[in-house]
Amino acid sequence: MAKKQFKAESKRLLDLMINSIYTHKEIFLRELISNASDAIDKLYYKSLVEKKSTGVSKDDFSIWISVDKSSRTLTVTDNGLGMTKDEMETNLGTIAHSGTLDFKKETVDGGADTKKAKTARDAIDIIGQFGVGFYSAFMVSSRVKVISRAFGEEQTWEWESLGADGYTVRESARNGNGTEIILTIKENTDDEKYDEFLETYRIKNLVRRYSDYIRYPIMMNVEKRRALPKAEGADEDALPDYESYIEADTLNSMTPIWKRGKNDVKDEEYNEFYKDKFSDYTDPLKVIHTSVEGVISYDALLYIPAKAPFNYYTREYEKGLQLYSSGVMIMDKCADLLPDYFSFVKGLVDSQDLSLNISREMLQHDRQLKAIASRIESKIKSELSAMLNTDREKYEEFFKIFGLQLKFGIYDHYGMKKDVLEDLIMFYSSAEKKQVTLSEYVSRMDAEQKFIYYAAGESVDKLDKQPQTELLKDKGYEILYLTDDVDEFALRALMQYKEKQFKSVSEGDLGIEESEDDKKAAAAKAESSKDLLSAVKETLGDKVSEVRLSRRLKSHPVCLASGEGISLEMEKVLSAMPADSGVKAKRILEINADHAVFGALEAIYKNDKDRVATYANLLYDQALLIEGLPIEDPVAFSNAVCALMSEGGSIGTAAE
């Protein structure tokens, strides 16, 4: 029989299509099973709508897989609609032609527009779109043979091809309607081990991975072993003999849990599915089950874990949801479905609007996928907000595990995602002594308070003792304590919340209104102390940008404040990174004019100006220690302190 050529540009197109669309060779089995499912769907549709057959029951349909190692063949068989000779020529002879897509267009655009027809169409959800899935078989096969008999026809036809060189079609024989696809698996090479596709365990694994939710049973005869009854009179301790036998196994579960109604699924079922599917040993903290119908239709089953994966905050962690097309898995981890700040979410999305035959590169530009991702993001945000409002204890548990990621989300996007995240983040409150939201903070602000105040540092205990917080506490202002490295960066990115700007307790100006009398008194004191402050600044040089009398200190003698630019805490975070940017904060040394230390400094300046330098360095080192920053000369600092403690000691002599 003469060999026929493919109607598309044979070898180059076939090679290009297989190598660009499919990332893994194992995907071929998923494609063939999906095609078999489509063929059954078509026959079932016709039986419902066109009344083309009588006595057809959905329970009669199945897909069979068989392996013959001796001949190196793997066979996929269905009892679906089958193909005539013309259909075989059209569907298999033209690369990238989809018989399923044609069938779907017929049902939508054709005359079958009755309510019954619509019900049938909704029921079958045919998978295939582009008609390239069948050719994935050539990735693992040296020869592909298709034997098919159309429903209601007497003649069987056989299509055979060795690849891009062409194909033959001839008469054949088969009992009953349906299609049988026989793959001759390639021989092993140094780089590829094709024998795996002839192993039962591998076939079962691939079916569970990619085709577990195909609606028809996927069957396979599997060799098993069982113990034989002990012979009469055999010793009780004698080991039993075993025999091998063949039994038909159903390889797929067929019913996706996410296709069932929420009221029909128990909490235990959700939890067991999660632990089995995503290899976790603890129940999830939250289950999100949603179904959307409209321009974009999909089902989603999402989980928020109760514990972070061991590698969650590392580069090795891979985010993403499993992506299905009508119950057939397209991708194990589709990163495009989740923004980074919700990367802790596990789960899956199943949509009949996505093509099964699509690559990772194509998905990145798929508008339908982007629309689904946008809706998934909104759903996660709304569910977290609901948890915050209705189950505060559970939300605080969640935030303790994954709150850091939400803060990173604000910083990574420079506040562009604040509408999504700003109401979800929490910080420890000086007033409430617990984690609070920005909304809760603002709701408690007095009318005269202009800013949301915060202090950034190592721990809540240390921040609560910071000298810079004294004035704010005295006025009854609430302060947010920021203890994660990213916290201050996130607030700087937000800039403001509900028209209230953020202000650090260490900023040069706290923005607190003073009375005219207080302003005049402070100005007079600063003027009278101008020469002393200049002497301290001259001693410290470039270590500080300014030395001034403090308007924020009450009982403490000294502190550091930040000028414009980054804060002292941000400087510490940046300098601890592997690639130190070298950016430094502008340091302002503030001295409490009402403290006894300042009186002593004034006396020293009046009576012995040469000793001012020692006191200036000592005060600066004290401020550094309070701030948690290293001092340049610990020995000199220690000697200065010891000299002060020594009766009759000279600070100048000791420090030198």
Side-chain angles (χ1 to χ4, degrees):
M1 179 175 291
K3 181 180 291 186
K4 300 184 179 183
Q5 295 297 316
F6 289 111
K7 295 179 183 178
E9 292 185 13
S10 59
K11 183 174 179 55
R12 185 162 176 259
L13 179 58
L14 184 58
D15 289 344
L16 176 64
M17 182 176 54
I18 291 173
N19 293 328
S20 64
I21 290 182
Y22 298 105
T23 308
H24 305 293
K25 288 181 169 58
E26 65 188 29
I27 220 75
F28 81 94
L29 188 60
R30 180 196 77 179
E31 299 297 326
L32 297 184
I33 290 173
S34 297
N35 288 345
S37 177
D38 284 352
I40 296 174
D41 280 337
K42 294 173 188 177
L43 178 55
Y44 187 53
Y45 172 87
K46 288 179 178 293
S47 72
L48 291 175
V49 177
E50 301 178 8
K51 298 181 180 179
K52 190 165 184 177
S53 64
T54 58
V56 172
S57 170
K58 200 170 185 178
D59 295 335
D60 296 332
F61 295 122
S62 62
I63 300 167
W64 280 83
I65 300 175
S66 59
V67 170
D68 186 341
K69 290 186 178 181
S70 61
S71 60
R72 296 188 66 79
T73 59
L74 185 152
T75 304
V76 178
T77 306
D78 68 71
N79 55 347
L81 188 62
M83 290 179 283
T84 64
K85 180 181 180 182
D86 289 342
E87 289 169 339
M88 189 174 280
E89 290 266 13
T90 302
N91 296 337
L92 305 184
T94 304
I95 300 175
H97 179 275
S98 174
T100 294
L101 186 58
D102 288 346
F103 181 82
K104 198 168 187 178
K105 287 180 179 178
E106 285 179 22
T107 63
V108 174
D109 303 330
D113 56 359
T114 63
K115 183 177 181 181
K116 187 176 182 182
K118 183 180 184 302
T119 301
R121 289 199 298 273
D122 291 343
I124 60 178
D125 293 339
I126 291 173
I127 299 168
Q129 290 290 317
F130 297 140
V132 297
F134 166 76
Y135 300 95
S136 64
F138 287 103
M139 291 192 294
V140 300
S141 309
S142 58
R143 179 190 303 269
V144 177
K145 184 184 295 186
V146 180
I147 302 172
S148 188
R149 178 176 170 183
F151 183 84
E153 299 289 331
E154 297 295 330
Q155 185 60 58
T156 299
W157 296 95
E158 179 181 305
W159 181 97
E160 186 174 10
S161 175
L162 299 179
D165 290 338
Y167 63 93
T168 59
V169 178
R170 56 178 174 268
E171 291 188 17
S172 187
R174 170 185 167 81
N175 292 325
N177 56 280
T179 301
E180 186 176 338
I181 301 176
I182 306 167
L183 311 183
T184 302
I185 302 299
K186 293 178 181 179
E187 298 288 343
N188 290 339
T189 66
D190 292 338
D191 299 324
E192 300 286 352
K193 304 300 180 185
Y194 294 99
D195 282 356
E196 63 174 314
F197 301 119
L198 296 170
E199 298 293 341
T200 300
Y201 79 90
R202 183 69 165 129
I203 299 300
K204 293 170 71 173
N205 176 270
L206 291 178
V207 171
R208 281 195 299 269
R209 179 177 175 82
Y210 293 108
S211 307
D212 195 38
Y213 304 112
I214 290 291
R215 61 179 62 85
Y216 307 108
I218 302 171
M219 309 295 296
M220 186 176 187
N221 284 324
V222 177
E223 183 178 350
K224 300 181 179 180
R225 288 176 59 79
R226 61 189 170 199
L228 293 171
K230 289 184 179 180
E232 290 187 19
D235 193 317
E236 289 185 3
D237 297 330
L239 296 176
D241 291 327
Y242 286 84
E243 68 172 356
S244 297
Y245 69 102
I246 302 296
E247 183 175 72
D249 269 3
T250 301
L251 307 184
N252 59 325
S253 63
M254 290 180 279
T255 306
I257 189 174
W258 60 87
K259 287 288 188 181
R260 295 157 57 185
K262 296 180 187 178
N263 296 332
D264 298 329
V265 184
K266 298 178 181 178
D267 291 343
E268 295 80 5
E269 292 180 278
Y270 280 129
N271 294 343
E272 288 305 314
F273 178 83
Y274 165 76
K275 288 186 285 189
D276 179 63
K277 192 75 171 176
F278 301 102
S279 302
D280 200 345
Y281 60 90
T282 57
D283 291 339
L285 189 67
K286 177 74 175 175
V287 179
I288 305 172
H289 188 180
T290 182
S291 181
V292 176
E293 293 185 0
V295 178
I296 300 294
S297 298
Y298 65 89
D299 296 288
L301 182 54
L302 312 175
Y303 294 93
I304 297 177
K307 293 184 178 180
F310 72 94
N311 64 340
Y312 182 67
Y313 288 107
T314 69
R315 292 182 179 179
E316 285 70 35
Y317 179 78
E318 290 184 72
K319 69 166 183 171
L321 301 176
Q322 290 186 343
L323 183 60
Y324 288 77
S325 174
S326 296
V328 179
M329 192 169 77
I330 298 176
M331 192 177 296
D332 185 40
K333 287 186 178 179
C334 183
D336 297 323
L337 282 171
L338 284 177
D340 286 343
Y341 42 85
F342 289 156
S343 61
F344 50 81
V345 175
K346 296 184 179 182
L348 54 89
V349 173
D350 187 358
S351 174
Q352 66 191 59
D353 296 321
L354 292 173
S355 168
L356 179 64
N357 305 308
I358 194 165
S359 69
R360 186 180 299 272
E361 291 75 19
M362 292 177 182
L363 279 172
Q364 291 175 350
H365 304 287
D366 192 285
R367 287 183 296 176
Q368 292 172 321
L369 188 78
K370 291 179 179 179
I372 293 174
S374 177
R375 288 165 173 78
I376 291 292
E377 178 188 43
S378 298
K379 183 63 176 177
I380 295 171
K381 192 299 181 62
S382 67
E383 290 289 334
L384 289 175
S385 298
M387 188 197 304
L388 173 62
N389 295 326
T390 61
D391 194 342
R392 182 59 173 256
E393 184 177 350
K394 179 180 283 188
Y395 187 82
E396 290 184 5
E397 184 181 350
F398 153 77
F399 195 80
K400 185 177 181 180
I401 305 168
F402 298 113
L404 192 62
Q405 192 66 19
L406 303 185
K407 297 172 187 176
F408 274 121
I410 293 175
Y411 172 65
D412 283 347
H413 294 82
Y414 302 102
M416 292 178 61
K417 289 295 182 177
K418 65 180 182 179
D419 291 342
V420 179
L421 300 172
E422 62 183 359
D423 288 320
L424 298 176
I425 59 175
M426 305 176 78
F427 302 97
Y428 189 89
S429 164
S430 64
E432 298 297 310
K433 307 300 180 185
K434 65 178 183 179
Q435 296 282 337
V436 300
T437 66
L438 296 177
S439 178
E440 291 166 341
Y441 180 102
V442 170
S443 69
R444 292 189 289 268
M445 288 175 62
D446 292 333
E448 73 269 14
Q449 184 177 340
K450 298 179 179 179
F451 300 97
I452 299 173
Y453 292 104
Y454 69 86
E458 183 180 336
S459 68
V460 168
D461 288 341
K462 289 185 178 180
L463 289 173
D464 203 41
K465 298 172 183 176
Q466 267 197 348
Q468 294 93 324
T469 64
E470 282 191 304
L471 177 62
L472 294 172
K473 287 180 179 178
D474 188 57
K475 289 184 171 292
Y477 289 163
E478 185 176 356
I479 305 170
L480 298 177
Y481 291 158
L482 281 52
T483 55
D484 288 325
D485 288 347
V486 73
D487 286 353
E488 190 171 7
F489 292 90
L491 292 191
R492 291 282 186 105
L494 275 180
M495 297 178 63
Q496 63 179 14
Y497 178 81
K498 292 185 178 179
E499 299 182 352
K500 298 289 185 180
Q501 292 184 332
F502 299 98
K503 186 172 284 290
S504 169
V505 299
S506 297
E507 282 189 32
D509 180 12
L510 289 178
I512 297 176
E513 292 290 336
E514 293 180 301
S515 67
E516 289 300 319
D517 290 343
D518 288 340
K519 289 180 182 178
K520 289 180 181 179
K525 186 65 176 176
E527 179 64 26
S528 65
S529 305
K530 182 172 62 175
D531 292 340
L532 169 59
L533 298 177
S534 295
V536 175
K537 172 65 174 75
E538 184 178 352
T539 297
L540 297 177
D542 293 337
K543 294 178 181 178
V544 295
S545 61
E546 183 183 352
V547 178
R548 67 189 183 193
L549 297 183
S550 180
R551 313 280 279 272
R552 79 189 78 218
L553 293 176
K554 304 287 287 183
S555 62
H556 292 274
V558 68
C559 75
L560 285 176
S562 303
E564 293 183 0
I566 68 169
S567 69
L568 293 169
E569 190 61 29
M570 294 172 75
E571 177 190 317
K572 286 192 285 184
V573 173
L574 293 173
S575 63
M577 292 182 176
D580 185 0
S581 62
V583 178
K584 301 295 181 183
K586 292 182 179 179
R587 303 179 182 187
I588 301 172
L589 182 66
E590 292 193 355
I591 304 174
N592 185 357
D594 296 327
H595 198 279
V597 164
F598 185 71
L601 188 61
E602 285 182 311
I604 291 293
Y605 181 71
K606 183 178 179 180
N607 301 317
D608 189 358
K609 289 184 174 61
D610 292 338
R611 294 174 62 194
V612 169
T614 301
Y615 275 86
N617 283 314
L618 185 58
L619 286 173
Y620 178 66
D621 285 345
Q622 283 181 306
L624 288 175
L625 290 174
I626 292 171
E627 199 63 37
L629 293 167
I631 57 178
E632 293 180 5
D633 191 345
V635 174
F637 175 78
S638 176
N639 288 340
V641 172
C642 290
L644 282 175
M645 296 174 64
S646 301
E647 185 177 351
S650 172
I651 294 178
T653 304
E656 292 170 358

